[in-house]
Every structure is written in structure tokens, then in C-alpha cells.
Amino acid sequence: MSRGTAVVVGGGIGGLAAAIGLRRIGWDVTVLERAPAFEDVGAGISMHANGVRALDALGVGEAVRAAVRPLYTGGTRAPDGRLLARMDGAALERRLGTPVVGVLRADLHRVLREALPTGCVRTGEEVTGLDGLPDADLVVAADGVQSRLRAELFPRHPGAVYSGTTVLRAVTERPPLGPIDDLALTWGPGAEFGHLVFVDGRVEWHAVLDVPPGVRHPDSLAEMRRRFGGWHDPVPALLDATRPEDVLHHDIHELRTPLPAFTVGRVALLGDAAHAMTPNLGQGASQALEDAVVLAARLAGAPTVTEALRRYDAERRRRTQSVARAARQAGRMGHGLTHPLATALRDTALWLAPSELTLRAALRHADWAPPRLR
Ligand code: FAD
């Protein structure tokens, strides 16, 4: 379908990517974002080849590459530092053209914003429902995990629920003193600690805890030191390189009940609004980017918006819901295990797994080829 008009609700990574994709196929797009201004909030994003390829398809791959760090070394460890599974970034690069990359969310968001013309994104515009939106051929609901548009379209759906885990994370104030792995994950009973390195040498660390929702600490960094201070290097050093005021703390919500459709009438749901998943596979943002590419490609290739949305739903629902299931499962097998016997069995299985098997697990979701956008 050549040319049309679209309103995108939500100016996060998914919404901006959708706007870029639609503009690439010749559509007029307006993005409505409720935040009064974009602040450099959030921490880091680890992105697999599928996300990088989606950015290439949107025409912003080169600009993003300037802001990312390719992550070659690392893997999964036990709290005493024993390596259980090695990440082979060079092998991933040989197979997929890129290893996993680390990027500050703020940098990724800035590159996406800069790919859109002035006036395309309107901030300070809170959408309260479908009524009252500007006239358009298509509405893209990219309003995040607590999507108001999703609630309006699917009033009987339970919406996002607490996943059972809370995440504390921060970007260190300075690079660590010694050399460290590029991308690391450590699993202890009922807890996970991980880090990734950015292009400027600073490091994002995150800690996952299986606790009831709403638990907060008067001094989050002190609580992290109490909980993880005895774990292997560089965990204590990363905490030491962090300012207390930089620690973010979020309870993780997910769409545990899959949506029965990603489209209703002329509305397409995209990103976390459609398939909010736990962060265990680092795939949330990449799946939103994939959505954006597929939506634009199907609109370009179908005779009507209705047919394009039917194809978008068929293609994206199955894939994203399967990635979400896999992410939940990865969390259960990781920080979700608490019994010493269960953790010992898991650790042994990881340690014994041939490197080809570990590589294949990494390729499972990352090896995605985008449709071509003109
Ligand atoms: P959002 O980024 O939430 O954007 C939604 C936008 O809509 C916001 O700007 C919001 O202000 C706006 N909005 C909401 N309601 C309205 C309204 N009514 N009117 C107008 N505007 C509205 N993904 C990865 O790929 N790799 C990772 O390593 C990774 N790590 C993560 C770690 C954590 C702890 C968490 C919580 C998530 C992580 N993710 C990761 C997931 C990733 O951040 C999200 O999947 C991704 O940002 C989703 O983008 P989105 O645009 O769909 O939603």
C-alpha cells in the first residue's frame, strides 16, 4: 500500500523505530509521547544480531554502531567465580556478522530521535484513549508495558503482572581499574548479578532478586553490597565504582497471558505494549525493533492496511510470544532456582554442555533476517 498516515502512541524505542520504518515507506507519521521531554534515563541495552539487523533495515545501523561496544568475552559463572559457560563473541560474529553489542539506552534513543524530522515527535501529549486521536489510516500502540490502548482494546485481558523479580541496576561512574569480561552473568540461589561494558569503558551492572513486589531499601547500594559483596571479582569492584544515587530499582512486569491478537481494526500493538517480556534474554528492545521493520514491510507490500495488519499479526505474534516464553524459562533456570541440589545440577549441565550447544542456544533468537524495506 503506497503512502498513508499514521499516529504512533509512545516515543520509546519501539514507537520511534515504527515511525522511522513508516517514514521509509513514504508514510506521514506523528508520534505522541506523554513525557514532557526526553531525559537521558535508563541504563543499558544488550542487543543481539536480530536487533542490529533490524536497525540496519531501518537505515540507522551505522549511526547506532558508532555508539555501541561489541561484546566478545564473558559468560556465565557461579558466585565463587567458576566459569560455567563461555560466551564466544567471535564465533557469534562469524555466524551472524555481529557479536552481542552493549549500548546506553539514552544513546540508542537519541540516534532514533535524530533519524526523524523536527515536529514528527510531539512530547507532552498524553493519550487517554483511541477517541480524540488525530485522523489516520493506522494507529500504532507503542505505549509500553502498562499500555492504556491495550487495556481499551482488550478489556478482559489481565494486562501486565508482576513477574516475581525485581531488578536493581546502575551505570558505574568510571571504568573499572582492571580488565573485565565484556558481558557477564552470575547465578546464585534466587539471585543473579550481571554486567556489560559500554563504548566509553563504563559498565552497567544489574542484580535480579526473586522477592515480593514493592520491596525497597533505604540505601539500595548498601543492600547490594550486603547481598553481593562476597561474590567473585569484579562484582564488589563494580559496586564500589557506583554512586548511590545512580542505582535504579524496578519491579519487572510481563504480559504472562499472551494477547489473542496484535491488531484490532486499524490499530497495531508493538513492543512492550504487545509482548512485554522478562529481561532474561535481553530481547525486549530487539523484538520491538523487529516489530517496527515487519510492520513497515507488510504495509509496503499489502494492497490494504487491513491485509497488512493481518500479515503483521500472523508473523509477529508467534515469534514474540515464543521469545517471551523462552525468556521466562531462562529466568526460572537461572535466578529462579534456589535449592542447592537444583543449582548444582544446573551448574554441572552448563559446565558439561559442548560449546556448539551454547552457541546454538545463542543463535536461536538472534538469527533473524529482516524483510527488506525499500
Ligand atoms: P517503552 O520503552 O516503555 O516506551 C513506551 C513509551 O510510551 C514511553 O516513552 C512512555 O512515556 C510512552 N507512553 C506510555 N503511555 C503513554 C500515553 N498514554 N500517551 C503517550 N505516551 C505514552 N531489552 C533488550 O533488548 N536488551 C536488554 O538488555 C534489556 N534489558 C532490560 C532490563 C530491564 C531491567 C528492563 C525493565 C527491560 C529491559 N529490556 C531490554 C527491555 C526493553 O527496555 C523494552 O522491551 C523496550 O524498551 C520496549 O520499548 P517500547 O518502546 O515498547 O516501550
Side-chain angles (χ1 to χ4, degrees):
M1 208 199 133
S2 65
R3 299 189 172 268
T5 53
V7 172
V8 177
V9 179
I13 290 166
L16 295 185
I20 294 169
L22 291 168
R23 282 183 46 80
R24 259 181 109 73
I25 60 159
W27 282 48
D28 281 334
V29 187
T30 305
V31 180
L32 303 177
E33 165 57 47
R34 73 175 164 199
F38 292 113
E39 288 162 20
D40 280 358
V41 288
I45 300 268
S46 63
M47 202 184 301
H48 297 259
N50 56 317
V52 176
R53 289 172 176 177
L55 290 166
D56 280 333
L58 294 170
V60 291
E62 278 317 305
V64 174
R65 272 186 191 82
V68 309
R69 170 160 175 145
L71 306 172
Y72 288 105
T73 61
T76 308
R77 294 179 186 273
D80 61 9
R82 258 176 313 131
L83 186 63
L84 303 172
R86 191 167 76 87
M87 178 188 76
D88 187 347
L92 281 174
E93 188 170 47
R94 279 194 301 279
R95 296 283 271 264
L96 300 171
T98 175
V100 182
V101 300
V103 60
L104 281 159
R105 186 187 178 281
D107 283 344
L108 176 58
H109 199 262
R110 176 182 45 76
V111 171
L112 297 177
R113 275 196 324 265
E114 286 172 359
L116 291 166
T118 320
C120 174
V121 182
R122 288 171 22 195
T123 51
E125 298 264 6
E126 173 141 21
V127 172
T128 53
L130 288 166
D131 268 359
L133 282 180
D135 263 353
D137 300 312
L138 169 74
V139 174
V140 179
D143 50 345
V145 57
Q146 301 295 352
S147 169
R148 200 177 276 182
L149 295 186
R150 182 184 65 228
E152 181 179 337
L153 293 168
F154 298 96
R156 305 233 296 264
H157 186 274
V161 296
Y162 181 57
S163 67
T165 60
T166 200
V167 174
L168 292 99
R169 58 197 170 137
V171 177
T172 58
E173 192 185 8
R174 51 181 188 281
L177 292 176
I180 64 169
D181 284 343
D182 291 338
L183 180 67
L185 211 56
T186 302
W187 283 333
E192 167 184 312
F193 194 98
H195 77 249
L196 67 89
V197 184
F198 296 118
V199 70
D200 64 4
R202 289 183 302 153
V203 179
E204 183 206 66
W205 58 260
H206 75 262
V208 183
L209 295 172
D210 291 359
V211 293
V215 173
R216 291 295 179 270
H217 311 283
D219 181 342
S220 298
L221 191 56
E223 177 61 19
M224 291 296 93
R225 286 206 176 94
R226 189 189 71 73
R227 191 76 176 66
F228 297 100
W231 284 28
H232 66 86
D233 285 339
V235 175
L238 292 176
L239 298 176
D240 285 347
T242 303
R243 297 186 307 178
E245 62 271 30
D246 289 338
V247 180
L248 304 171
H249 188 169
H250 292 107
D251 291 342
I252 302 298
H253 289 78
E254 61 166 331
L255 272 196
R256 194 169 299 153
T257 307
L259 279 182
F262 281 5
T263 63
V264 178
R266 61 174 184 139
V267 185
L269 289 108
L270 176 148
D272 280 5
H275 46 68
M277 58 188 73
T278 61
N280 302 89
L281 293 178
Q283 275 286 349
S286 296
Q287 291 303 314
L289 294 168
E290 286 188 15
D291 289 346
V293 176
V294 172
L295 181 63
R298 297 308 160 234
L299 282 162
T304 62
V305 171
T306 307
E307 175 57 18
L309 294 189
R310 192 194 63 71
R311 294 178 191 176
Y312 168 76
D313 175 56
E315 205 169 321
R316 295 307 299 156
R317 193 148 46 90
R318 181 201 290 232
R319 164 141 170 103
T320 54
Q321 291 177 349
S322 131
V323 176
R325 268 195 311 278
R328 194 175 309 127
Q329 183 63 15
R332 280 200 197 118
M333 294 306 292
H335 52 76
L337 295 187
T338 49
H339 194 281
L341 187 61
T343 52
L345 278 173
R346 178 214 43 218
D347 291 356
T348 308
L350 274 177
W351 189 70
L352 289 175
S355 54
E356 181 58 27
L357 199 68
T358 313
L359 183 64
R360 247 189 287 147
L363 294 176
R364 186 168 154 220
H365 304 297
D367 196 4
W368 172 84
R372 271 178 63 84
L373 286 188
R374 60 175 120 120

